[in-house]
Amino acid sequence: MDSSYIQVTPIKQSKIDTVDFNKLDFGRVFSDYMFECDYKNGEWQTPVIKPYGPISLDPSARVFHYGQAVFEGMKAYKDDNDDIFLFRPDENLKRINKSSERLAMPAFPENYFFDGLTKLLHLEKNWIKKGFGNSLYIRPFVIATQPAISASPSEDYKFMIILSPAQAYYAGEVRVLFAEKYSRSANGGVGFAKAAGNYAAQFFPTSLAHKKGYQQIIWTDANTHEYLEEAGTMNIFFRIGDKLITAPNNDRILDGITRKSIIQLAKDNGIEIEVRPVSVAEIKDAARKGELKEIFGTGTAAVINPIVGFGHSEEDFELPKLEKSYASFFKEKLMNIQYNKSQDPYGWRVKI
C-alpha cells in the first residue's frame, strides 16, 4: 500500500491535550486532521490530508438545495499491544459507493479510500485509546459542491473523512414506539442508502415519540405499517423463545454491517435464526404470551443496544430482564473480535 502520493499539511500544534477522554460527548470532539478529495472535470483529484477545520462552499452548492449527501460510520480500535484495527472496512466502502450510485454521485476509488484512511489513522494513532469500548469513530462522507441551483446532479463533489474519539456507548434504558403513521422509507426509495436526508426525515416523528416517553421508533413498512423493519439508526432483532428473528434486507432497510455479523455469529454458535418479515401482531402476541424474550438494535455506534419495552396503539409492553441475554452474548463475541481479544475466523478484523 503506497500512500506517498497523498500530500499532508502538518498541524501547528495538536489539540489532544485539551480533550478529556473520560468525558466524551459522542460525535462532538474531532481529531487534528481530516482527509479531503475533490471530484472535478469527471475524475477524482489527488487526495490531501490537512488540519481539521471549516470548509468553504458556495451558497448555491447543490448539497444545500438537492440533498446529494451520503455518509458512512466506522471505528478504529487499539488492542493491548497498541496495534490498530478496522472492522470489515471493505463493506463500508461498498456501501458508501452503493449509496452514492443511488444519489447519482460518482464512486470513490478503493485505493484512495484505503491509502487515505490508513495514512490518516497513522497520523492520529494517539487519538485511539486502548480499553474495551474505547475507539476512534470514523465518518467518511460525500457532498455535492457544484455552485448551481438547477435541479440536476452535481458535476463536482467532495469526499471527506473526519475522526471523533468515542467511549463505550450507553444509551440507558431504551423504550421504542412501533410506527403507525410515519415511514422511514418506501419501496423504490433510498432507505437502503446512508443518505443524509433519511436521518433528517426521522427527527420529527422521533421527537413526537420522545414526548410520549419513548427513546426511539421501530419503523414499519410504508404500505401497511404491519411489518417491523428498522429502529432509528439501527437494524433490529427479536428473540421469541430461543429463536432470533430479523427482517430481510430490501430497498427500505440499510444493509447493516453489524447486522450481517450477528447473523453469521448466530449461525456459528448454534442459535436458530430466521431472516423473514416480522409482523407487529406476531411480536405483540409473543409479548402477551411471555414468549418475547428480547429486542435489540445493532449498529456501529452502539454495537448492540438492548430494548427494555415497546409501545403500539396505546398499549405498552415490558420485556423480561435476562441474566444471559443474546444481546450481551453477541456484543461480547463481536467486540472480542474487534479488539483483538479472540480469534477472527472470518477475516473481519483488518490490521492497519
Side-chain angles (χ1 to χ4, degrees):
M1 187 174 290
D2 177 22
S3 59
S4 60
Y5 62 91
I6 301 175
Q7 181 183 347
V8 177
T9 302
I11 55 169
K12 293 180 180 178
Q13 183 176 354
S14 176
K15 59 191 175 189
I16 194 168
D17 291 338
T18 68
V19 176
D20 185 349
F21 284 85
N22 295 314
K23 294 181 180 178
L24 291 171
D25 195 355
F26 183 79
R28 292 180 182 266
V29 174
F30 297 93
S31 68
D32 291 320
Y33 288 98
M34 62 186 188
F35 173 91
E36 184 175 73
C37 187
D38 289 315
Y39 183 87
K40 294 181 181 297
N41 303 316
E43 61 183 7
W44 290 101
Q45 308 299 301
T46 303
V48 299
I49 293 175
K50 58 206 264 187
Y52 180 92
I55 58 175
S56 178
L57 290 177
D58 195 286
S60 62
R62 290 186 194 265
V63 64
F64 299 135
H65 305 274
Y66 303 110
Q68 277 184 292
V70 299
F71 67 94
E72 268 301 316
M74 311 167 60
K75 284 180 179 177
Y77 313 88
K78 186 178 280 185
D79 71 4
D80 293 337
N81 298 318
D82 285 323
D83 289 325
I84 300 168
F85 298 91
L86 297 172
F87 182 74
R88 307 187 75 173
D90 55 320
E91 294 288 344
N92 293 102
L93 177 62
K94 287 178 190 174
R95 194 168 62 184
I96 199 168
N97 281 339
K98 184 179 179 182
S99 298
S100 294
E101 180 183 37
R102 181 61 181 84
L103 270 68
M105 304 165 76
F108 195 65
E110 181 177 355
N111 62 316
Y112 279 11
F113 181 76
F114 285 109
D115 290 350
L117 182 54
T118 299
K119 194 160 193 168
L120 185 62
L121 290 175
H122 282 157
L123 285 167
E124 302 287 54
K125 61 185 178 183
N126 292 334
W127 288 83
I128 312 171
K129 298 303 182 183
K130 287 188 286 191
F132 215 48
N134 293 327
S135 62
L136 188 62
Y137 187 82
I138 303 166
R139 171 51 59 87
F141 63 99
V142 195
I143 56 173
T145 56
Q146 185 186 16
I149 55 171
S150 55
S152 58
S154 179
E155 295 176 8
D156 301 335
Y157 297 91
K158 188 181 290 291
F159 186 104
M160 299 190 70
I161 303 174
I162 55 177
L163 308 173
S164 178
Q167 294 175 283
Y169 186 94
Y170 178 65
E173 290 197 342
V174 176
R175 287 176 173 78
V176 297
L177 183 66
F178 291 177
E180 296 181 71
K181 176 183 178 182
Y182 294 100
S183 301
R184 179 185 177 276
S185 60
N187 292 337
V190 296
F192 68 89
K194 280 187 82 73
N198 287 347
Y199 298 83
Q202 293 186 50
F203 295 156
F204 175 67
T206 302
S207 71
L208 298 180
H210 288 169
K211 292 176 182 176
K212 294 181 178 180
Y214 304 96
Q215 285 71 48
Q216 277 288 3
I217 291 176
I218 294 187
W219 301 101
T220 48
D221 68 291
N223 290 338
T224 67
H225 294 294
E226 293 177 4
Y227 292 92
L228 297 155
E229 298 198 326
E230 198 168 28
T233 57
M234 301 180 292
N235 295 117
I236 195 76
F237 285 81
F238 304 89
R239 177 184 174 184
I240 298 178
D242 289 331
K243 183 187 298 181
L244 200 60
I245 307 167
T246 192
N249 283 338
N250 54 44
D251 56 11
R252 302 183 302 273
I253 297 178
L254 187 72
D255 185 13
I257 296 164
T258 308
R259 171 190 177 274
K260 64 178 68 176
S261 303
I262 296 301
I263 291 172
Q264 187 65 56
L265 288 172
K267 290 176 179 177
D268 294 346
N269 285 275
I271 294 173
E272 184 180 0
I273 182 158
E274 294 182 354
V275 180
R276 61 166 175 80
V278 185
S279 72
V280 173
E282 175 187 12
I283 297 304
K284 290 176 72 173
D285 185 56
R288 291 189 184 102
K289 292 177 179 177
E291 297 171 353
L292 181 66
K293 303 300 183 185
E294 294 181 72
I295 303 175
F296 56 86
T298 64
T300 298
V303 186
I304 292 177
N305 200 341
I307 290 165
V308 301
F310 69 92
H312 180 261
S313 291
E314 305 303 322
E315 282 188 280
D316 282 300
F317 300 86
E318 292 293 306
L319 274 68
K321 289 180 169 60
L322 304 178
E323 285 188 15
K324 295 183 178 180
S325 68
Y326 281 179
S328 59
F329 172 81
F330 287 125
K331 186 168 187 176
E332 183 178 18
K333 284 275 186 186
L334 202 58
M335 291 180 70
N336 279 339
I337 292 175
Q338 292 170 336
Y339 287 86
N340 195 27
K341 291 183 177 293
S342 69
Q343 294 297 312
D344 174 19
Y346 310 104
W348 291 344
R349 186 173 59 227
V350 177
K351 188 176 179 180
I352 292 296

